[in-house]
Amino acid sequence: MPTITDPTILSSLMLTISLGTGFLALDARRDRHRAREVELQEAISLLKLHCDTLERLDDDDMPDDLLGLVVDLNIVLHDPDACRQTRALILDEDARAESRERNSTGVSADVEIEAFRELMGRRSDLAIAFMQCLVSGLLAFEKRWPECAGKIAPGLPRIIVSPVEEAHRVVQAAERFRSWSTPVTAAAA
């Protein structure tokens, strides 16, 4: 009768363990890919909603300040590096306090918030479309870039309560990040 120290049995046992571990690793990898595929499908759906609401904002009654914010946000949505700043700008109280500064176009969050309030009174359909545009865009941003996973959804209540202010923060933090990283990128090139 062969013993456990028999080289053939030890080799067979090691091969079986190696194959089992390999199949488990493949299974885990397949699950990660499926989960990522689901996230990307959600991002596609959210981006479609975002684009549909953008079309509804093409209206003469839409304030220029709010349209500027939407344009700035769209630039951020396509910048994977901007997600490094999203957790701080949505959840960190210190970052929130600093974010009332003017954005790159010189418009303060207060001006945008006032424009949104006026729009709510005049054209609630446009205000709702604007809010849908911001929320769907920010959530698509989180789903699209794996680095952003879990960084925006926890701040969703704040985004819904004050969509203009939160979108302003995202744009401002991304602009600040770009201004910090641009010289490094240019020097690397």
Side-chain angles (χ1 to χ4, degrees):
M1 170 176 254
T3 64
I4 195 121
T5 58
D6 187 14
T8 306
I9 292 178
L10 284 175
S11 296
S12 298
L13 186 58
M14 286 178 29
L15 180 63
T16 304
I17 291 171
S18 296
L19 286 173
T21 304
F23 284 127
L24 288 174
L26 283 174
D27 194 40
R29 187 174 184 182
R30 184 185 67 228
D31 290 346
R32 282 193 310 273
H33 283 286
R34 284 184 182 156
R36 183 68 186 130
E37 184 178 351
V38 167
E39 284 178 344
L40 289 173
Q41 290 299 326
E42 291 171 354
I44 289 168
S45 297
L46 287 164
L47 284 170
K48 182 176 179 349
L49 174 61
H50 182 72
C51 288
D52 292 345
T53 56
L54 276 174
E55 288 179 19
R56 291 193 313 220
L57 297 180
D58 186 17
D59 190 294
D60 291 337
D61 286 341
M62 193 65 195
D64 290 339
D65 293 333
L66 297 180
L67 285 175
L69 179 61
V70 169
V71 169
D72 287 346
L73 181 64
N74 278 311
I75 292 168
V76 171
L77 293 179
H78 301 291
D79 182 0
D81 291 330
C83 71
R84 295 178 188 167
Q85 299 296 317
T86 56
R87 182 177 265 318
L89 66 199
I90 290 178
L91 298 177
D92 182 2
E93 289 302 322
D94 293 334
R96 294 171 61 76
E98 294 174 10
S99 70
R100 297 194 71 80
E101 302 166 9
R102 298 179 185 279
N103 64 14
S104 65
T105 58
V107 178
S108 73
D110 294 331
V111 170
E112 294 164 337
I113 291 166
E114 186 56 34
F116 181 70
R117 286 184 183 138
E118 289 175 10
L119 185 63
M120 281 293 288
R122 256 190 0 233
R123 292 280 309 269
S124 62
D125 61 319
L126 280 178
I128 290 168
F130 175 76
M131 187 170 166
Q132 287 175 333
C133 181
L134 295 182
V135 171
S136 62
L138 288 170
L139 291 176
F141 177 70
E142 179 182 47
K143 296 287 184 182
R144 182 177 182 190
W145 307 111
E147 302 89 353
C148 295
K151 293 185 179 177
I152 293 179
L156 192 57
R158 284 188 176 155
I159 293 169
I160 291 171
V161 169
S162 55
V164 176
E165 196 169 354
E166 298 302 327
H168 181 89
R169 279 188 186 84
V170 169
V171 168
Q172 187 180 43
E175 288 171 351
R176 209 176 356 212
F177 176 74
R178 268 194 230 113
S179 69
W180 293 335
S181 65
T182 303
V184 174
T185 317

